[in-house]
Amino acid sequence: MQLHFSPSMRSITISSSNGFIDLMKIKVAARHISYRTLFHTILVLAFLLPFVFILTAVVTLEGVNKCSSFDCLGRRLGPRLLGRVDDSGRLVRDLYKILNQVSNEEIPDDLKIPESFSHLMSEMKEKKYSAKEFALILKGMMERSEREIRESKFAELMNKHFAASAIPKGIHCLSLRLTDEYSSNAYARRQLPSPELLPLLSDNSYYHFILSTDNILAASVVVTSTVQSSVNPEKIVFHVITDKKTYAGMHSWFALNPVSPAIVEVKGVHQFDWLTRENVPVLEAVESHNGIRNYYHGNHIAGANLSETTPRTFASKLQARSPKYISLLNHLRIYLPELFPNLDKVVFLDDDVVVQQDLTRLWDIDLGGKVNGAVETCRGEDDWVMSKRFRNYFNFSHPLIAKNLDPDECAWAYGMNIFDLQAWRKTDIRDTYHAWLKENLKSNLTMWKLGTLPPALIAFKGHVQAIDPSWHMLGLGYQSKTNVESVKKAAVIHYNGQSKPWLEIGFEHLRPFWTKYVNYSNDFVRNCHILE
């Protein structure tokens, strides 16, 4: 801000150094003016100058530095000084009104939707769209983006499903190499356990764990973590059950890698005399039924109305269509009293768990005459994992389901269960399980579509004793936001879901809890480049 006096002292000019010129020009009359008057005039101007400077700075900061007169400044600053509101509120309301109008209108077929924001801006300058045309174009761009994002999400879920259903190359390699070792190495074929330890397989003073799986690496982690976490590992007996194709490789692994002082027995389903077609006719039907095989192995997109399905619902349906759900190994737990007639109490573990604390304390829990000690999944801080009730598993529009079940009944978890086999043998749990499987087959799988848990929820109804949730933490295979501190405190962590720790799609921050029990120094593991 500068103040200029003319040489004749007849005019005073106030100008700006940043582009504002002649902000104020005062002409002094020709008549004689006293110095006192001039002094007072200058004094008043000096008082006003700071305010003029502040107003000019405000205008400059607001991007109106092209104003070069008080008329412009007045138009800009007048409403502010008088407390008036500008028109931006009215403009927003008008825009909202137009957007609301087009929200229920269809996008014209001949309307060309720009491919990008920059393309939109260039077309706006060229074609001078009306407000309504702009709103329709904006709606079209948003709908197209939403559609593409949705399609990408479904494609991602399908790819994840295929990845979860496939056998990793390293694990397949491990099974093949160990199977070959079984045929060429007598030590890999040695009896498990050794003959002098056979009586301990039915000794109820020991702690008996049962594991049913065809994944050799996963089995090794479950057994190793259980034994290493135990206070009395010499009192642990593991009964590992596998299918016929995996038996040789599974046997080789535990023969070549003993987990002393624990005892390990490896048995194939073909070695159980009780597992005949007469005793498991329903499961044979499940495995051979064409409709079921198409459901689990067929096209998962065909017939699915993706426009009316949320990604979360679609993901749940894909998980329910895992081929493992029609495997006999997955149903074996319902036959434990018959497969182990001499045992009184056992803990059944899934192959995607890691044991972090001594589980022998489970034998001290009073089941109150119930059969199944399990963690309930309807109570807990995690709304995603611990919010499961019967309505999450069953189709209550089916008359049989609606008649016999309560949608609000609390569900419980498979994966780590303490079973009282003595109490079990006094019930009709197995027959109930078979009966409901038959009904679901008759209903073309419309009663439920999530593997072995729904029929078990029905069969064990009234036979479940809830145990403390700290025994069994779920969700590590489908929830990346799992609290790591909570994982550290859990007795058993369960990677239920698609993102198994041995798969590439497993969550990296949760994988170390599993890999710490993988023996990477083992020649077979190293040569198969597992998880490298």
Side-chain angles (χ1 to χ4, degrees):
M1 190 73 64
Q2 296 177 350
L3 188 66
H4 301 277
F5 293 90
S6 65
S8 63
M9 298 293 288
R10 289 181 176 271
S11 67
I12 303 170
T13 304
I14 303 170
S15 63
S16 171
S17 60
N18 58 357
F20 286 91
I21 61 171
D22 296 337
L23 289 179
M24 187 178 294
K25 192 169 185 179
I26 301 172
K27 292 185 178 181
V28 182
R31 61 184 179 83
H32 176 72
I33 299 176
S34 67
Y35 284 101
R36 177 179 294 181
T37 303
L38 181 61
F39 175 75
H40 288 159
T41 303
I42 295 173
L43 200 63
V44 171
L45 291 175
F47 177 75
L48 291 175
L49 281 176
F51 294 99
V52 175
F53 173 76
I54 292 172
L55 292 175
T56 306
V58 169
V59 174
T60 303
L61 290 173
E62 288 186 349
V64 293
N65 52 357
K66 292 185 179 180
C67 287
S68 59
S69 69
F70 265 92
D71 178 60
C72 180
L73 286 176
R75 291 197 307 271
R76 298 289 183 178
L77 300 174
R80 297 179 183 273
L81 295 173
L82 296 175
R84 298 174 184 172
V85 181
D86 60 20
D87 291 337
S88 60
R90 183 178 61 81
L91 291 173
V92 171
R93 288 193 298 272
D94 290 344
L95 179 60
Y96 175 78
K97 184 178 179 180
I98 295 171
L99 291 174
N100 193 42
Q101 284 179 345
V102 303
S103 63
N104 297 321
E105 294 186 19
E106 295 293 331
I107 304 297
D109 295 334
D110 58 346
L111 184 63
K112 185 178 179 182
I113 307 298
E115 294 296 327
S116 64
F117 180 75
S118 59
H119 188 195
L120 171 64
M121 294 305 296
S122 63
E123 286 197 353
M124 284 180 63
K125 294 177 182 178
E126 178 183 344
K127 298 182 179 180
K128 308 295 183 184
Y129 291 128
S130 67
K132 185 173 181 180
E133 287 174 330
F134 171 75
L136 283 171
I137 291 173
L138 188 63
K139 179 183 178 183
M141 293 181 71
M142 291 293 294
E143 288 183 350
R144 182 181 61 194
S145 297
E146 290 174 359
R147 187 168 55 252
E148 291 175 351
I149 291 172
R150 187 179 178 85
E151 290 172 355
S152 298
K153 184 63 179 178
F154 283 122
E156 176 193 351
L157 291 172
M158 280 301 305
N159 292 334
K160 190 172 183 179
H161 172 71
F162 293 139
S165 303
I167 300 174
K169 182 179 179 181
I171 291 180
H172 183 59
C173 164
L174 182 67
S175 180
L176 290 177
R177 285 176 177 265
L178 287 168
T179 300
D180 182 65
E181 193 71 13
Y182 184 85
S183 62
S184 60
N185 186 344
Y187 192 75
R189 296 192 302 273
R190 68 187 179 90
Q191 186 174 351
L192 289 179
S194 54
E196 65 274 14
L197 298 177
L198 288 177
L200 301 181
L201 297 179
S202 56
D203 188 338
N204 284 297
S205 66
Y206 281 70
Y207 303 104
H208 294 267
F209 293 85
I210 299 174
L211 171 64
S212 176
T213 180
D214 59 355
N215 188 325
I216 298 172
L217 188 66
S220 72
V221 169
V222 175
V223 174
T224 301
S225 64
T226 304
V227 173
Q228 290 186 10
S229 301
S230 177
V231 176
N232 300 303
E234 70 281 357
K235 298 287 288 184
I236 287 180
V237 178
F238 251 99
H239 305 268
V240 180
I241 307 173
T242 190
D243 55 17
K244 191 173 184 178
K245 65 178 174 56
T246 314
Y247 171 75
M250 188 75 75
H251 188 104
S252 292
W253 175 267
F254 287 105
L256 299 173
N257 302 280
V259 286
S260 301
I263 299 168
V264 177
E265 174 194 32
V266 178
K267 236 179 164 180
V269 291
H270 58 288
Q271 295 174 320
F272 286 94
D273 296 333
W274 186 87
L275 286 176
T276 63
R277 292 184 178 182
E278 291 74 21
N279 290 329
V280 288
V282 175
L283 294 185
E284 183 185 8
V286 167
E287 286 191 316
S288 59
H289 192 283
N290 286 333
I292 293 178
R293 295 197 67 81
N294 287 336
Y295 175 77
Y296 285 102
H297 294 281
N299 188 337
H300 299 331
I301 294 292
N305 190 352
L306 299 184
S307 62
E308 298 181 1
T309 303
T310 65
R312 177 173 175 174
T313 302
F314 186 65
S316 178
K317 289 181 178 179
L318 284 178
Q319 184 178 342
R321 296 175 79 160
S322 172
K324 73 175 184 178
Y325 289 128
I326 58 173
S327 166
L328 178 60
L329 287 174
N330 208 42
H331 291 267
L332 274 184
R333 68 195 84 195
I334 205 68
Y335 305 116
L336 295 182
E338 290 77 23
L339 299 180
F340 300 95
N342 298 318
L343 296 182
D344 296 339
K345 189 177 284 189
V346 299
V347 167
F348 189 94
L349 297 172
D350 278 356
D351 65 358
D352 53 356
V353 305
V354 173
V355 178
Q356 302 186 125
Q357 295 178 20
D358 180 28
L359 295 188
T360 60
R361 293 182 292 121
L362 287 168
W363 271 257
D364 299 329
I365 295 177
D366 181 9
L367 297 181
K370 301 294 180 65
V371 173
N372 178 7
V375 168
E376 291 183 322
T377 54
C378 68
R379 301 180 181 89
E381 297 178 358
D382 193 329
D383 292 335
W384 174 255
V385 178
M386 304 299 285
S387 61
K388 302 294 191 297
R389 297 184 181 273
F390 275 30
R391 70 167 68 92
N392 300 106
Y393 296 99
F394 297 100
N395 174 19
F396 277 88
S397 64
H398 193 286
L400 272 179
I401 295 295
K403 179 182 178 181
N404 292 278
L405 302 179
D406 177 6
D408 292 321
E409 186 166 344
C410 189
W412 47 269
Y414 259 155
M416 195 286 298
N417 305 83
I418 174 80
F419 290 118
D420 185 338
L421 300 186
Q422 285 184 310
W424 191 338
R425 294 185 184 101
K426 300 174 184 177
T427 69
D428 61 349
I429 290 175
R430 185 191 64 180
D431 294 337
T432 303
Y433 188 89
H434 282 172
W436 280 92
L437 275 180
K438 288 180 180 178
E439 289 296 336
N440 197 30
L441 286 174
K442 290 179 184 177
S443 301
N444 196 27
L445 302 179
T446 58
M447 297 170 71
W448 70 78
K449 293 183 177 180
L450 189 58
T452 57
L453 182 57
L457 290 174
I458 301 175
F460 282 100
K461 200 170 182 296
H463 300 291
V464 178
Q465 175 64 43
I467 62 176
D468 192 280
S470 63
W471 281 109
H472 187 188
M473 182 178 183
L474 298 111
L476 277 72
Y478 62 83
Q479 183 170 251
S480 62
K481 295 181 180 179
T482 300
N483 186 289
V484 173
E485 292 303 316
S486 298
V487 172
K488 294 176 181 178
K489 297 175 184 177
V492 173
I493 55 175
H494 194 171
Y495 292 85
N496 57 313
Q498 293 179 320
S499 301
K500 305 297 186 189
W502 55 82
L503 298 175
E504 293 295 333
I505 59 175
F507 301 122
E508 290 298 331
H509 67 294
L510 299 177
R511 198 194 306 274
F513 292 98
W514 187 84
T515 54
K516 66 185 291 187
Y517 294 105
V518 175
N519 182 8
Y520 286 102
S521 64
N522 181 276
D523 289 340
F524 292 98
V525 173
R526 190 172 63 252
N527 292 334
C528 287
H529 308 286
I530 291 176
L531 289 177
E532 285 187 354

